[in-house]
Amino acid sequence: MSPNAKRMASASAIELVALEKRFDALHVLRGIDLRIAPAEVVCLIGPSGSGKSTLLRCVNRLEEPSAGHILIDGENICAQDCDLDRVRAKIGMVFQQFNLFPHLSVLDNLTIAQRKVLKRSKAQAEDKARKVLDRVGLLHKVHEYPARLSGGQQQRVAIARALAMDPEMMLFDEATSALDPELVGEVLAVMRSLAEDGMTMMVVTHEMGFARGVADRVVFMDGGVIVEQGHPDQVLGDPQHERTQRFLQRVSDR
């Protein structure tokens, strides 16, 4: 199949078409259709086990879909002859756990992938690392080791590491859920600044204030399906589906 045959006319940065995911008998994603425009921020909310993180991991094929298609900039990355490494270079991902190398300094954590994957020189990689560390407010920690950083600082380093690869879009999988409450704000501030700069973002989050204030669209998932989606004011302020209403009531009661 030619590259042109694999592409669909689409203004979407990310498009999921009839996406399915099964783990043996467990049916986690059930026919997900979702399109995300360039520079759009979409927050995925819903109860634990609803399929949000699995959906996010399918977008760069950390999880292999059982059926359906995933298109990045119109290219079907489920196609057999897709250059997955090339497509993945467009996508930065930040996880709940920071996944920093404990034996490497902050600087080395940010340069190792640049040098191995992007083939940047040591000087180029270090220059880029310093720029993105400055962006997340941690240039003064360039020579520290992860163990000497707070959880919020470690997560900001993880975001900087992703940004050092010059991604076109970012995926955040509950990036603040492992943090002490007083550290959440500093990570959300970095994510908010990325959104303001026009980064395409998919964000799995339990932070309803962030979703309300930053998202262009909120997607509520439950049982492996999209139950409701729309503008944050609509989904969070006036949800139409009873299941969404119950979820938001439980969240607000905490």
Side-chain angles (χ1 to χ4, degrees):
M1 184 183 293
S2 70
N4 286 339
K6 290 190 298 180
R7 301 184 71 86
M8 297 172 61
S10 172
S12 301
I14 302 169
E15 183 171 2
L16 311 179
V17 182
L19 187 66
E20 302 266 343
K21 179 59 182 179
R22 294 177 182 267
F23 294 99
D24 298 322
L26 183 61
H27 200 172
V28 180
L29 297 176
R30 301 169 178 266
I32 299 290
D33 293 309
L34 184 65
R35 297 178 66 167
I36 297 172
E40 186 178 17
V41 178
V42 173
C43 283
L44 306 175
I45 66 170
S48 297
S50 58
K52 308 182 300 297
S53 292
T54 299
L55 186 153
L56 207 67
R57 291 171 64 86
C58 282
V59 170
N60 61 2
R61 282 182 55 190
L62 287 177
E63 293 290 354
E64 197 68 23
S66 302
H69 300 286
I70 302 163
L71 293 95
I72 303 297
D73 290 334
E75 181 174 359
N76 184 1
I77 68 169
C78 297
Q80 195 169 21
D81 58 345
C82 173
D83 184 348
L84 189 56
D85 289 338
R86 175 181 54 79
V87 176
R88 277 179 173 154
K90 300 180 179 183
I91 308 170
M93 187 159 185
V94 179
F95 301 87
Q96 178 178 344
Q97 301 300 327
F98 321 126
N99 297 327
L100 300 176
F101 294 112
H103 64 290
L104 296 181
S105 69
V106 167
L107 182 64
D108 288 340
N109 265 281
L110 266 65
T111 58
I112 186 170
Q114 293 186 68
R115 298 181 68 184
K116 288 182 177 293
V117 177
L118 301 182
K119 307 303 182 185
R120 288 176 177 161
S121 69
K122 183 173 184 287
Q124 289 173 325
E126 290 187 354
D127 180 64
K128 182 67 175 183
R130 292 175 188 277
K131 287 178 179 175
V132 292
L133 283 171
D134 189 39
R135 179 171 186 177
V136 302
L138 288 175
L139 183 56
H140 63 295
K141 299 292 187 180
V142 66
H143 296 301
E144 290 285 7
Y145 284 80
R148 294 175 59 88
L149 303 177
S150 70
Q153 289 171 335
Q154 289 187 62
Q155 192 61 294
R156 283 189 283 157
V157 170
I159 294 172
R161 179 178 57 185
L163 293 176
M165 303 297 286
D166 294 324
E168 297 177 13
M169 54 198 76
M170 290 282 289
L171 312 177
F172 292 88
D173 188 7
E174 299 191 30
T176 60
S177 62
L179 301 177
D180 292 335
E182 65 268 23
L183 301 177
V184 169
E186 63 189 56
V187 174
L188 293 181
V190 172
M191 295 168 63
R192 185 176 292 107
S193 73
L194 291 176
E196 290 170 351
D197 288 345
M199 178 68 76
T200 305
M201 295 166 57
M202 290 182 71
V203 183
V204 172
T205 185
H206 294 292
E207 300 290 338
M208 297 301 130
F210 177 85
R212 186 184 298 275
V214 178
D216 298 298
R217 185 163 32 126
V218 171
V219 174
F220 173 70
M221 292 183 63
D222 190 33
V225 301
I226 294 175
V227 176
E228 187 168 352
Q229 62 176 304
H231 189 275
D233 289 346
Q234 183 261 302
V235 175
L236 301 179
D238 187 25
Q240 301 302 298
H241 198 283
E242 181 269 341
R243 181 66 187 92
T244 316
Q245 295 169 6
R246 283 192 288 118
F247 170 77
L248 291 172
Q249 182 62 50
R250 286 202 188 109
V251 171
S252 66
D253 287 344
R254 289 177 184 170

